[in-house]
DNA sequence: TAGAACGTTTAGTAATTACTAAACGCAGTA
DNA sequence: TACTGCGTTTAGTAATTACTAAACGTTCTA
């Protein structure tokens, strides 16, 4: 039983859509990436539109956030007003880029608010049952430390410019 | 300027709610965890209800998924029909638990579909332009390898039963 | 065996998020 | 200066997700 390439591409796209949704991104985003990832040449927006079935507007905005994340790259050609998009195929690069992106995000703001909570506790300006305040202090501090650990890990990963995943995995395997 | 403990708790809860949302979980889930995390003693469902402002039904279901993830623990006391919940305070433990949870998830199903796509390509049963098939094959293979790397990493982390995050960070810092 | 105190389920609603359709703005071209 | 081809923005809709309210089933108590 043979499969048509077009069918295979479609299945693949479907799969990436689900993965995208699983990670909390719109499934359309996964589809767009899939189409670009399987294309040997950069594609103009219109081509993405026809291949995904989304509208121009949707593709326009989503391809932009993909670009911000470093998962796709936009380029243009002289004497051609179209923009062309192609997928980043070095996933490790993408991950670093995504991690960087996350650092200036809503997440960071929230983490910072935990930091503020902690500072209030450290400064002794919190009123209430003494034992409970102490307990809360300890817990908030532990959470903050956890966040720091995560942050350090992320920074470390970001800095591994040259290493491929294989190497990282190898290193981790030493720990078993 | 002093802050009331109750106010501080509320701010903290608000912060965790946002973090929860950021990671694609309901904000109520973050709130529930926050309340439990700051409580010196295990709390019955009703108490969570009053402290979060959610309804019994919501708390019931969300606390259950938190438990599945290993972020909270349910316990009961002899001669008391209530269930009591407390937060897991070892975040590293929680992470491992979450990673384990993810392995039997929708995500895995999708990853498997990529695997199947690859197998079709390997078996040479895909019809279409030869060069393009070759290109697609290469790309799909690269993605699959990336998934494997991630998987290995996750497995490695899961196996680090005894190590705290600090140690992992230390090891990673060597790589800088 | 009725009633009370629980947690769970269910059916419906509110809120959020992803998307569409269409107007728009800005080049470049005739 | 109008026309065309492009990407973006916007306003509204569809779909999804989080949540509520209330009925329900169990288990314990009187």
């Amino acid at each position: 039983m043979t499969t048509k390439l077009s069918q295979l591409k479609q299945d693949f796209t479907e799969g990436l859509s689900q993965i995208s949704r699983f990670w909390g991104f719109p499934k359309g985003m996964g589809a767009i990436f899939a189409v670009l990832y399987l294309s040997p040449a950069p594609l103009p927006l219109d081509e993405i539109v026809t291949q995904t079935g989304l509208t121009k507007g949707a593709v326009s905005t989503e391809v932009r956030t993909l670009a911000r994340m470093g998962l796709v790259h936009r380029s243009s050609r002289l004497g051609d007003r179209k923009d062309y998009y192609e997928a980043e195929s070095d996933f490790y690069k993408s991950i670093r880029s995504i991690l960087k992106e996350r650092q200036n995000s809503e997440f960071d703001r929230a983490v910072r608010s935990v930091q503020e909570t902690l500072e209030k506790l450290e400064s002794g300006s919190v009123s209430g049952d003494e034992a409970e305040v102490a307990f809360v202090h300890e817990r908030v501090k532990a959470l903050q430390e956890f966040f720091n650990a995560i942050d350090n890990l992320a920074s470390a990963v970001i800095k591994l410019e040259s290493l491929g995943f294989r190497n990282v995995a190898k290193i981790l395997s030493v720990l078993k």
Side-chain angles (χ1 to χ4, degrees), chain A:
Chain A
M1 180 52 195
T2 74
T3 314
K4 283 216 192 83
L5 180 58
S6 56
Q7 178 61 44
L8 186 111
K9 278 181 163 184
Q10 215 164 305
D11 293 350
F12 179 83
T13 301
E14 175 61 25
L16 277 205
S17 297
Q18 303 215 173
I19 290 175
S20 177
R21 267 203 7 188
F22 180 81
W23 290 106
F25 302 107
K27 78 174 187 209
M29 221 174 99
I32 292 170
F33 180 82
V35 163
L36 292 175
Y37 185 67
L38 293 189
S39 165
L43 298 179
L45 197 135
D46 264 348
E47 188 56 31
I48 305 176
V49 167
T50 59
Q51 289 201 34
T52 57
L54 299 174
T55 57
K56 243 188 344 162
V59 173
S60 171
T61 60
E62 310 225 321
V63 97
R64 188 141 32 102
T65 82
L66 278 169
R68 243 198 6 248
M69 287 180 168
L71 280 163
V72 312
H73 303 290
R74 181 194 306 232
S75 61
S76 39
R77 300 170 181 176
L78 317 87
D80 187 343
R81 288 179 27 238
K82 288 182 198 158
D83 290 343
Y84 288 84
Y85 298 93
E86 62 187 321
E88 169 63 61
S89 60
D90 180 343
F91 293 107
Y92 184 59
K93 222 173 186 172
S94 300
I95 285 225
R96 276 189 287 118
S97 164
I98 289 171
L99 287 179
K100 273 182 197 154
E101 171 73 12
R102 293 229 150 155
Q103 289 193 323
N104 342 333
S105 69
E106 210 54 25
F107 177 65
D108 219 48
R109 235 185 95 261
V111 169
R112 213 158 282 152
S113 99
V114 171
Q115 174 65 36
E116 279 167 30
T117 304
L118 182 58
E119 278 160 14
K120 278 183 195 148
L121 284 159
E122 312 260 67
S123 75
S125 69
V126 177
S127 66
D129 175 75
E130 196 176 329
E132 200 184 350
V133 171
F135 175 83
V136 166
H137 183 176
E138 181 201 317
R139 285 269 157 129
V140 173
K141 196 169 156 194
L143 181 59
Q144 181 61 37
E145 276 166 12
F146 174 73
F147 282 151
N148 283 340
I150 294 277
D151 211 62
N152 288 340
L153 239 147
S155 307
V157 171
I158 288 174
K159 284 185 182 154
L160 298 180
E161 302 278 352
S162 55
L163 288 183
F165 245 99
R166 197 157 299 192
N167 295 344
V168 174
K170 204 187 291 174
I171 288 157
L172 279 179
S173 77
V174 171
L175 301 174
K176 279 182 196 169

